[in-house]
Amino acid sequence: MDEQISNFLRLRSSWVVVYIVIVHMDLEAAAATGLFGLLCDAPVQIVGLRDEAKMDAFDDFAPDPNSLERATAMLEYIVSRLHKEGPKSELAMYPVIMFRLCTEKCYEAAEEMSGEVEA
């Protein structure tokens, strides 16, 4: 474990996933958005928090409207704490949000299960 941390710290720059959004959508609808590749051949998308155009495109898939804003605020706080020594730090951290496409329709199974519980 210590070796892994040392290797991480030796990197000059790193992506730091601060939030993960699972996008539940069927294959046809996902392909129509174009956000996961033309044929949904890119089911995992890494989007930088500072990339406003991409963040706006994915905004509809966040669990609630304020969740991405909270992730951004949380990140600002963490980065400010990590870089107390100022801009001369050699470690560059690039905050990202991971959007993962799920086409398994697991949401339908969950709805069916909740219906069975109510009955």
Side-chain angles (χ1 to χ4, degrees), residues 22-30 61 100-115:
I22 307 297
V23 178
H24 298 279
M25 187 180 296
D26 67 38
L27 200 58
E28 191 173 296
F61 303 116
R100 183 186 167 281
L101 177 63
C102 174
T103 59
E104 298 297 318
K105 298 185 181 183
C106 47
Y107 54 90
E108 290 178 359
E111 289 172 0
E112 288 175 15
M113 289 176 72
S114 67

Side-chain angles (χ1 to χ4, degrees), residues 18 49-50 66-81 95 97:
V18 295
L49 288 178
R50 308 237 189 279
N66 298 319
S67 61
L68 297 181
E69 290 177 23
R70 284 196 305 270
T72 304
M74 177 180 64
L75 172 78
E76 296 291 339
Y77 173 76
I78 290 169
V79 169
S80 70
R81 298 284 295 179
I97 293 180

Side-chain angles (χ1 to χ4, degrees), residues 7-118:
N7 290 338
F8 175 74
L9 293 175
R10 280 191 211 108
L11 297 174
R12 295 269 177 212
S13 61
S14 301
W15 285 348
V16 178
V17 175
V18 295
Y19 199 71
I20 298 172
V21 177
I22 307 297
V23 178
H24 298 279
M25 187 180 296
D26 67 38
L27 200 58
E28 191 173 296
T33 69
L35 296 173
F36 297 98
L38 294 176
L39 301 172
C40 292
D41 54 341
V44 175
Q45 294 294 308
I46 304 294
V47 180
L49 288 178
R50 308 237 189 279
D51 188 344
E52 291 182 23
K54 276 193 175 179
M55 288 297 289
D56 288 345
F58 279 98
D59 200 35
D60 293 337
F61 303 116
D64 71 71
N66 298 319
S67 61
L68 297 181
E69 290 177 23
R70 284 196 305 270
T72 304
M74 177 180 64
L75 172 78
E76 296 291 339
Y77 173 76
I78 290 169
V79 169
S80 70
R81 298 284 295 179
L82 288 174
H83 293 286
K84 289 180 183 178
E85 62 273 4
K88 293 181 181 179
S89 174
E90 292 182 20
L91 178 63
M93 297 173 67
Y94 298 100
V96 297
I97 293 180
M98 177 188 297
F99 291 89
R100 183 186 167 281
L101 177 63
C102 174
T103 59
E104 298 297 318
K105 298 185 181 183
C106 47
Y107 54 90
E108 290 178 359
E111 289 172 0
E112 288 175 15
M113 289 176 72
S114 67
E116 290 174 7
V117 172
E118 293 174 9

